[in-house]
Amino acid sequence: MLILTQDFDPTVDPVVHSLKAKDAEVVRVDLSYFPQKMYVTASDFDGERRRLLHRGRDVDLSRLSGVWYRRPTAFDFGPDMGEAEKQFARNEALQGIGGILRATTCTWINRPDLDAVAELKPYQLDIAKRLGMRTPKTLMTNDPEEVSALLARADRPVVYKAFSGGVIHYPGSFPSGLFTTVVGEEINEHLDRVRHTMCMFQEYIEKAYEVRLTVIGNTFFPVVIRSQETDATSVDWRGANHLPYGDYVPLPEDLVKKTQLLMAELDLVYAALDFIVTPDGEYVFLEANPNGQFMWMYHDLKLPMADCIADLLMAGGEFRRGEVTQIGY
């Protein structure tokens, strides 16, 4: 079992404990160990060999049953290499290591090339609509006049939402989050700023509650979030320190089938999906995060997510979508 993530990643720890309890061999490394602390080799000069060597541990990459591509950091070429050489070395490493790992036929959670495509929000929304899911009416543009025209004709509130999760890294400070926000009158004074990048505006949809659905293979963990109970969570529940959970509500079978089709088209094994449930009970798809967090639910609701990931990594072979099991709390 190979887990690729940064040194500090508490999300991985319960999965590692579960794997070890199941007597699985686990190697956890970060891509930043390459090339100074880690060797990767593939050769067919003396028989087929694909290996990773780190701190005395020798991993036969051809025998992997699963790879969890969690949150590794970038290759670290050290301070002595020039910038031009670092760029060349980085591209060579991406081609070499990426190609060697891609050649494995084990279960990936998830392959990084598939993650990169699947996390494109406009692409997700297009697939969801095609599959018959309701999605918010959406404007994506860097044209201030398009936004002005939308606000002038809108018959309900409009929200601004970042494409990429909304994390901004200011030098010398902790990353700050840019949450989904209802657009107010003040935007008219700053409309020209829209032209600086792509912006996404959506209709505000009335909510009864929201659902965070964690999909791990063919196991669904739908969690109800009573977001309308507090002001801090009413527009974007990510702004709360403590979430108001609701009682378990299984997903309707029709939505389960559509979600499976969405996951299959995105070619994902794992994803965290967000839905609004309207006062009349309609589910509205917002987005799918191919590497979304789940440990807060694991701890708060005692959901067996770590064991589920461990079992999936140990299963081996290429993953196939099949019958869904929904897990309550």
Side-chain angles (χ1 to χ4, degrees):
M1 223 73 57
L2 180 63
I3 298 177
L4 299 171
T5 196
Q6 56 198 265
D7 284 337
F8 181 74
D9 185 1
T11 295
V12 164
D13 296 340
V15 177
V16 171
H17 293 322
S18 180
L19 286 166
K20 289 183 175 179
K22 299 173 187 291
D23 295 323
E25 184 178 353
V26 187
V27 176
R28 171 180 172 171
V29 295
D30 188 16
L31 292 180
S32 66
Y33 301 164
F34 181 88
Q36 301 183 81
K37 303 176 185 176
M38 184 170 72
Y39 297 97
V40 179
T41 300
S43 173
D44 58 6
F45 274 96
D46 47 358
E48 294 284 346
R49 291 189 300 118
R50 286 184 293 175
R51 65 193 288 255
L52 180 152
L53 183 63
H54 174 64
R55 292 179 180 171
R57 301 198 66 178
D58 197 340
V59 182
D60 183 350
L61 297 176
S62 64
R63 296 181 60 245
L64 291 174
S65 64
V67 178
W68 189 10
Y69 190 88
R70 170 61 188 155
R71 291 191 172 178
T73 55
F75 304 122
D76 183 358
F77 297 99
D80 299 327
M81 191 181 290
E83 287 304 316
E85 289 80 8
K86 282 184 180 178
Q87 185 60 47
F88 172 79
R90 177 181 178 276
N91 290 337
E92 292 294 289
L94 285 171
Q95 290 282 326
I97 294 178
I100 292 169
L101 290 175
R102 174 64 184 86
T104 60
T105 56
C106 61
T107 296
W108 277 79
I109 308 177
N110 297 299
R111 265 183 26 211
D113 57 318
L114 299 175
D115 269 1
V117 174
E119 67 184 1
L120 298 172
K121 299 299 188 294
Y123 182 49
Q124 295 176 9
L125 291 170
D126 185 69
I127 295 174
K129 284 189 290 186
R130 180 157 39 85
L131 293 174
M133 293 184 182
R134 179 182 167 186
T135 62
K137 294 178 181 177
T138 303
L139 169 67
M140 294 172 264
T141 187
N142 73 323
D143 185 345
E145 291 187 7
E146 287 278 358
V147 180
S148 179
L150 170 65
L151 296 176
R153 67 176 183 270
D155 58 358
R156 63 176 63 188
V158 171
V159 299
Y160 166 80
K161 179 179 179 179
F163 285 100
S164 57
V167 178
I168 302 176
H169 296 267
Y170 291 104
S173 63
F174 288 106
S176 59
L178 187 63
F179 298 132
T180 301
T181 307
V182 176
V183 173
E185 291 294 329
E186 70 280 357
I187 194 174
N188 294 310
E189 301 175 24
H190 307 290
L191 268 179
D192 191 54
R193 297 182 183 182
V194 169
R195 66 183 175 84
H196 292 299
T197 190
M198 285 298 292
C199 300
M200 178 161 56
F201 297 89
Q202 293 183 323
E203 62 174 333
Y204 179 81
I205 295 175
E206 295 294 331
K207 310 170 186 178
Y209 58 90
E210 297 181 65
V211 171
R212 174 66 166 231
L213 170 64
T214 305
V215 176
I216 303 174
N218 290 311
T219 306
F220 282 24
F221 295 88
V223 171
V224 171
I225 299 173
R226 296 286 180 185
S227 59
Q228 302 311 288
E229 292 185 359
T230 67
D231 291 339
T233 59
S234 62
V235 177
D236 191 330
W237 53 256
R238 292 176 299 171
N241 292 324
H242 301 285
L243 285 176
Y245 296 109
D247 294 336
Y248 169 67
V249 179
L251 298 180
E253 276 305 310
D254 180 61
L255 184 62
V256 169
K257 292 176 182 177
K258 290 175 180 176
T259 300
Q260 280 287 70
L261 291 171
L262 175 69
M263 293 290 292
E265 189 147 350
L266 293 174
D267 211 356
L268 295 177
V269 176
Y270 172 95
L273 296 85
D274 291 312
F275 295 90
I276 288 171
V277 181
T278 66
D280 60 1
E282 184 178 15
Y283 283 75
V284 182
F285 172 81
L286 294 179
E287 63 179 72
N289 188 335
N291 208 356
Q293 298 281 20
F294 65 88
M295 289 309 298
W296 43 279
M297 294 179 291
Y298 168 85
H299 289 298
D300 291 350
L301 302 174
K302 312 303 180 188
L303 290 166
M305 294 168 161
D307 285 339
C308 190
I309 290 178
D311 289 341
L312 195 56
L313 289 169
M314 292 176 64
E318 294 189 33
F319 172 75
R320 294 287 183 270
R321 296 232 148 256
E323 184 176 348
V324 169
T325 300
Q326 297 197 62
I327 303 295
Y329 51 91

